[in-house]
Amino acid sequence: MSLLELEASVLQSTATKEIKFLSNVLHAPVDVDDHVDSEVERNDTVDISAVIENFRQTISDLDMDDHDRTDIELMRWLKARSMDLNKAEDMLRTSVKWRTDNGISNILEWKPPQHLINEFPFQICGFDNDGDQFGVVTYSKWNIEDFIASVYINKGVDHIRYFWQCLEIVKKCMRANTTELKTIQSGVVIIDMDGLAISQFASREVVEIVLEATRQYEANYPGMLKKAIVVNTPKVFTVLYQLIRPFLSEDTAACVDVYGYYDDWRGTLRELMSVDQLPSRFGGANTTVKPYHPSHGYLVTVPVFEEIENSKLKPVNVPAGQKLDVPFNITEVNAKLMWAFRTDDYDITFGVFYTPANSGDETEVVDFCRVDSHVLTQRGSLVCEQAGQYTVRFDNTSSWIRPKCVYYITQCSQQPN
């Protein structure tokens, strides 16, 4: 048996032992009506327009805005119940009551605990090649000990509520970015599992929250998911996904692609969307996609980068085990830093850091991560909201043998001293 086979066997055995206790959670019966395949059978005798209009009349008493009564929105519920008018009506009425009971109409005004924002950052990055919205959700910062403690205190209510809020933000963005030429009904989400351990998955509390979130998504947000690309998954995730899979509708399950750490998911992502919008850590060329903040609003701004000739890039050798820092002393608030760089043959770790003038504490302001600079010229910009020192860093400390040749250019809008 090879070392890789031995490792896989050990992980499989460990995962099996860790998740045995979950069987009681997962033995609950599944209502077939809640998991019907929403693939609509072709039937030339069915007048879809008439079905939608009939549906609109049957739910005319519900408290819904005009947008939620449009043909496109009503079709979400009909498709989720295979065009069965009665089942679609039951589903929609139940969802409207759920929204009322849980105050969903006001949930965007709720301020979630800061630790949730820190542990579950999400980014609305831009649009895929079809013009549909795409974003990123990161789970690697999840503090499982604090989460389990919160379950005992308030049954994980804040986590579930934060999940609802994120879905409502995505809905708002889809509506705000819809145009006469393109109606945005669904989106692509990249789910990053990098850094998660077996203990974070093999927990009764985690599984119960995940299952509850899955049920609520299926019942209240049909058709929002175009594609979910789960990347950097540990081997145990495959086992756990098979347990969660029965709670997904056929449509949702068909939208989910799972990739391990060493799979070629970066190439897949580059085929789905513009590399100028795809974050660098996922194989793109955009180094400065920020986590969503309410101040961003709902209109998605697509980055526009100036083309830079290779002759303008300055070559610098970064030895193995070392780093190159390019510092900027910023005295003008809202000065803009810009950069572009590439490397020969191999990737490099990149980030931007901020140090206040009166402190030596360094803060990461641009995601510090490995980027495919040997594949694509990486670009980005940063508005310096505070005075102090900003350091553009090319880090090769992860390499013990290989030096990296970095070709880069940096610019600052601040007037020189």
Side-chain angles (χ1 to χ4, degrees):
M1 178 182 293
S2 70
L3 287 176
L4 287 175
E5 291 172 333
L6 179 61
E7 178 191 9
S9 175
V10 171
L11 282 170
Q12 181 74 21
S13 175
T14 303
T16 302
K17 292 176 182 178
E18 291 283 352
I19 64 178
K20 275 185 178 180
F21 71 90
L22 300 177
S23 59
N24 290 334
V25 177
L26 298 169
H27 283 164
V30 178
D31 186 350
V32 175
D33 282 347
D34 287 339
H35 304 278
V36 296
D37 184 353
S38 67
E39 186 69 26
V40 181
E41 295 182 1
R42 298 292 181 183
N43 189 339
D44 294 336
T45 64
V46 175
D47 186 343
I48 300 298
S49 298
V51 173
I52 294 174
E53 186 56 37
N54 193 6
F55 186 31
R56 184 180 289 110
Q57 293 301 319
T58 62
I59 51 91
S60 60
D61 60 304
L62 292 179
D63 184 15
M64 298 165 54
D65 63 26
D66 291 341
H67 179 270
D68 289 334
R69 296 178 185 278
T70 60
D71 289 5
I72 290 176
E73 291 300 313
L74 294 180
M75 271 298 293
R76 293 181 186 273
W77 307 94
L78 288 166
K79 288 184 65 178
R81 290 296 178 260
S82 297
M83 302 301 290
D84 186 307
L85 188 60
N86 292 330
K87 290 183 178 180
E89 180 185 353
D90 288 343
M91 183 184 186
L92 179 53
R93 288 187 180 278
T94 302
S95 180
V96 170
K97 184 178 185 303
W98 171 83
R99 293 180 67 87
T100 301
D101 292 346
N102 291 281
I104 302 300
S105 61
N106 299 318
I107 200 167
L108 295 179
E109 300 171 10
W110 174 64
K111 186 175 182 180
Q114 188 60 43
H115 74 88
L116 286 180
I117 298 173
N118 295 339
E119 292 178 20
F120 300 98
F122 76 99
Q123 301 162 317
I124 299 177
C125 306
F127 307 95
D128 67 7
N129 292 335
D130 296 327
D132 292 314
Q133 206 164 278
F134 83 90
V136 173
V137 177
T138 302
Y139 284 97
S140 59
K141 299 180 181 180
W142 193 352
N143 186 319
I144 192 64
E145 290 81 9
D146 289 350
F147 166 72
I148 293 176
S150 74
V151 170
Y152 287 111
I153 295 171
N154 64 6
K155 298 183 179 181
V157 169
D158 285 344
H159 287 76
I160 289 292
R161 196 162 179 79
Y162 182 60
F163 173 68
W164 296 341
Q165 188 182 68
C166 292
L167 287 173
E168 289 298 310
I169 289 171
V170 172
K171 278 184 63 177
K172 282 277 191 180
C173 288
M174 288 180 179
R175 187 180 299 192
N177 291 280
T178 288
T179 67
E180 293 182 359
L181 299 178
K182 172 65 180 178
T183 298
I184 301 177
Q185 306 177 59
S186 59
V188 178
V189 60
I190 303 167
I191 303 174
D192 186 12
M193 295 289 187
D194 190 22
L196 286 184
I198 291 177
S199 61
Q200 289 172 293
F201 286 108
S203 157
R204 181 187 302 275
E205 294 82 4
V206 169
V207 172
E208 287 178 345
I209 288 292
V210 170
L211 291 181
E212 180 61 19
T214 302
R215 294 186 190 102
Q216 290 172 357
Y217 165 79
E218 292 287 357
N220 302 291
Y221 299 92
M224 272 187 60
L225 182 65
K226 177 180 179 180
K227 177 71 71 175
I229 303 171
V230 190
V231 302
N232 291 321
T233 59
K235 291 182 174 66
V236 69
F237 179 81
T238 302
V239 179
L240 293 175
Y241 179 67
Q242 293 305 313
L243 298 176
I244 297 169
R245 170 64 180 80
F247 294 86
L248 301 176
S249 68
E250 291 300 319
D251 274 357
T252 300
C255 293
V256 179
D257 292 338
V258 178
Y259 293 88
Y261 188 84
Y262 295 105
D263 294 335
D264 184 24
W265 47 266
R266 290 176 177 83
T268 299
L269 294 176
R270 284 194 283 259
E271 292 177 358
L272 289 176
M273 56 204 67
S274 165
V275 294
D276 283 345
Q277 298 179 52
L278 181 64
S280 297
R281 57 198 284 257
F282 297 108
N286 187 352
T287 57
T288 51
V289 180
K290 292 184 177 181
Y292 180 82
H293 187 273
S295 63
H296 297 169
Y298 303 116
L299 284 174
V300 178
T301 303
V302 176
V304 177
F305 296 115
E306 179 184 351
E307 290 295 332
I308 297 176
E309 297 178 8
N310 287 336
S311 60
K312 293 183 178 180
L313 300 178
K314 175 184 177 181
V316 176
N317 187 65
V318 183
Q322 297 187 30
K323 60 186 177 184
L324 169 67
D325 282 351
V326 184
F328 290 86
N329 182 28
I330 302 298
T331 58
E332 296 180 8
V333 175
N334 293 328
K336 188 174 183 180
L337 272 180
M338 294 166 283
W339 57 84
F341 65 94
R342 64 177 179 85
T343 54
D344 287 336
D345 301 325
Y346 302 102
D347 61 9
I348 198 165
T349 302
F350 173 83
V352 181
F353 296 83
Y354 166 71
T355 307
N358 58 353
S359 170
D361 296 333
E362 193 176 66
T363 303
E364 177 184 316
V365 291
V366 168
D367 198 10
F368 186 63
C369 62
R370 283 193 174 188
V371 299
D372 289 345
S373 49
H374 60 306
V375 177
L376 299 165
T377 297
Q378 303 293 311
R379 294 179 285 188
S381 63
L382 173 68
V383 175
C384 303
E385 298 177 351
Q386 303 177 76
Q389 179 171 292
Y390 289 78
T391 303
V392 177
R393 178 167 298 161
F394 303 96
D395 193 305
N396 196 30
T397 55
S398 62
S399 178
W400 295 357
I401 302 174
R402 297 189 183 96
K404 307 283 176 66
C405 186
V406 179
Y407 302 82
Y408 78 95
I409 184 173
T410 55
Q411 297 175 345
C412 180
S413 64
Q414 176 178 268
Q415 296 297 321
N417 296 329

